[in-house]
Amino acid sequence: MIKFLIQRPIAVLMAFTACFILGLVTYFTIPVSLLPDIAIPEITVQVTGQNTSARELENTVVKPIRQQLMQVNRLQDIQSETRDGYGLIRLNFEFGTNTDLAFIEVNEKIDAAMNYLPRETDRPRVIKASATDIPVFCLNLTLKSDIPYESSNQERFLELCEFAETVIKRRIEQLPTVAMADITGVTGRQLQIVPDMNILQMADITIKDLEDALVSNNIEFGSMKVKDGYYEYNIKFSTLLRTPEDVQNIYIRKNDRIFQLKELADVSVVPVKESGSSLADGKRAVTLAIIKQSAENMDRLKEELEQVTGYFSTIYPEIDFTVTRNQTELLDYTISNLKQNLTLAFILIFLVAILFLSDVKSPLVIATSMLVSIVMSFLFFLSFPCFAEYYLAVRTHSGIGYDDRQRDYCY
């Protein structure tokens, strides 16, 4: 073998050059993350039941679901916890289990259990844990006019919440490197109607009359089909109330007199009662937890997000965009530390080789070979996940055989 390679130096040089170029290409395209895409062998099922006691929820919902889930393959342990209006079932699987297939099977068992649950029960929510679900960083939106550790302007903060949900969140989730933007700290909006009891008494109008007027003006009549020659059109009729002005302009007829609701009551938009809040630098904030795609580069995600926030900062100068819990800082520090250690190791090995060999040519060949070998090793980083998944599929198929679909998973 060695004689064969020595007799063909050009072929060996071309092969090494090709592998070196492929290694360089892989180095710039391979995903870079702080944590690898590790599938955690655990699935959680969340059960909700409004106005239901813990005992009733356990007997009517949690217990039938748990009996179905005990039939899931490769299940190692199952635990359940029930409270008033809420239930939780944790499923732990054996290490090496394909969580994607287990997730599908858990959903199939829950669909089968829905036939035995009360009709008004909502479908349980199934959550699969993964290391990639950890946010890369958090984007905080605050108002520049707010003073730290003081109450914010409710009206302006409600506008900020609506802007973050309808514009910022959607724009960020359109980025190819972003999997999801989980928003927290948003305050809900509700329409508050405060009737003037004196005016209602003078007009002989009751609260029931106001309720009937609201119901009658917030309905959908259905649709009708109109034919025009060869064409058919579906026309839908509705009187849905969408804005506060629609509610204020509702007409109420009583005793041959016509009133508008704004003459009888004060109609305004107020925030929903809060159960928590998000703060950034002492200011009330809307926080978006950015979760990246598992196969994307964190540096690329950071650049794209900076472009988006920079663009919106110029258009909306009254909003502050700040980033916290930045994982890229630790990742950049780790990579720079690794590069520094590799550089020092190369220099040290090169100097030691010169000292003992008393020659520059041979240590130079050794250093070049080490550099080429390290660059070529990135090819294995790119191809190893495929081999690992295939190896896992073969082992699973040879063991408990519910994973027959895995055999052709990664050929």
Side-chain angles (χ1 to χ4, degrees), residues 50-285:
Q50 295 182 356
N51 302 323
T52 306
S53 64
R55 185 181 297 275
E56 182 182 357
L57 188 64
E58 169 69 23
N59 295 330
T60 59
V61 180
V62 176
K63 185 176 179 180
I65 294 176
R66 186 172 61 243
Q67 291 176 348
Q68 287 287 335
L69 294 178
M70 289 177 66
Q71 306 173 27
V72 178
N73 291 284
R74 303 201 70 180
L75 180 64
Q76 189 175 29
D77 186 24
I78 182 171
Q79 299 176 355
S80 63
E81 176 185 345
T82 309
R83 304 176 183 175
D84 291 343
Y86 180 76
L88 192 67
I89 303 175
R90 294 187 181 91
L91 292 87
N92 295 319
F93 296 87
E94 300 175 4
F95 283 98
T97 303
N98 191 320
T99 54
D100 292 331
L101 297 180
F103 181 79
I104 296 174
E105 190 171 0
V106 168
N107 279 278
E108 291 175 352
K109 297 298 182 182
I110 290 178
D111 291 336
M114 291 296 294
N115 298 324
Y116 306 98
L117 303 183
R119 182 175 299 178
E120 65 276 5
T121 303
D122 295 332
R123 190 185 187 280
R125 182 183 179 189
V126 184
I127 301 174
K128 181 181 64 174
S130 176
T132 56
D133 296 338
I134 300 176
V136 177
F137 38 69
C138 295
L139 178 65
N140 302 308
L141 279 68
T142 57
L143 295 171
K144 291 184 178 180
S145 59
D146 287 349
I147 301 175
Y149 304 104
E150 292 189 9
S151 58
S152 303
N153 188 323
Q154 289 289 353
E155 184 177 354
R156 296 198 59 190
F157 187 76
L158 287 175
E159 294 176 355
L160 177 64
C161 293
E162 183 179 3
F163 173 72
E165 283 187 299
T166 58
V167 179
I168 300 297
K169 183 177 184 294
R170 294 181 181 180
R171 179 64 187 94
I172 291 177
E173 289 182 340
Q174 291 175 357
L175 299 176
T177 55
V178 176
M180 185 180 68
D182 187 16
I183 189 169
T184 56
V186 176
T187 301
R189 302 158 62 97
Q190 64 181 0
L191 191 67
Q192 178 178 270
I193 302 176
V194 181
D196 191 332
M197 301 306 298
N198 294 328
I199 298 179
L200 292 181
Q201 188 175 4
M202 293 173 57
D204 194 20
I205 298 176
T206 63
I207 300 297
K208 186 67 168 55
D209 295 333
L210 297 182
E211 294 176 353
D212 294 340
L214 290 172
V215 172
S216 61
N217 284 273
N218 193 36
I219 61 174
E220 291 185 350
F221 297 102
S223 61
M224 63 178 293
K225 184 179 292 185
V226 179
K227 292 185 179 181
D228 182 11
Y230 294 100
Y231 300 97
E232 293 183 356
Y233 304 94
N234 287 322
I235 302 176
K236 185 176 181 180
F237 299 92
S238 64
T239 60
L240 295 179
L241 303 174
R242 303 185 183 276
T243 63
E245 289 76 17
D246 295 339
V247 180
Q248 293 175 352
N249 296 327
I250 291 178
Y251 289 93
I252 300 175
R253 183 185 180 93
K254 188 71 173 182
N255 299 330
D256 296 330
R257 296 180 62 185
I258 297 178
F259 302 90
Q260 277 189 311
L261 186 61
K262 60 184 178 182
E263 300 173 355
L264 307 173
D266 181 22
V267 181
S268 60
V269 177
V270 297
V272 179
K273 184 179 180 181
E274 301 171 0
S275 59
S277 62
S278 177
L279 297 177
D281 296 330
K283 297 181 180 180
R284 189 75 182 276

Side-chain angles (χ1 to χ4, degrees), residues 350 353 359-373:
F350 185 73
D359 186 14
V360 178
K361 184 177 180 181
S362 298
L364 187 61
V365 173
I366 295 173
T368 304
S369 302
M370 292 177 62
L371 178 62
V372 173
S373 301

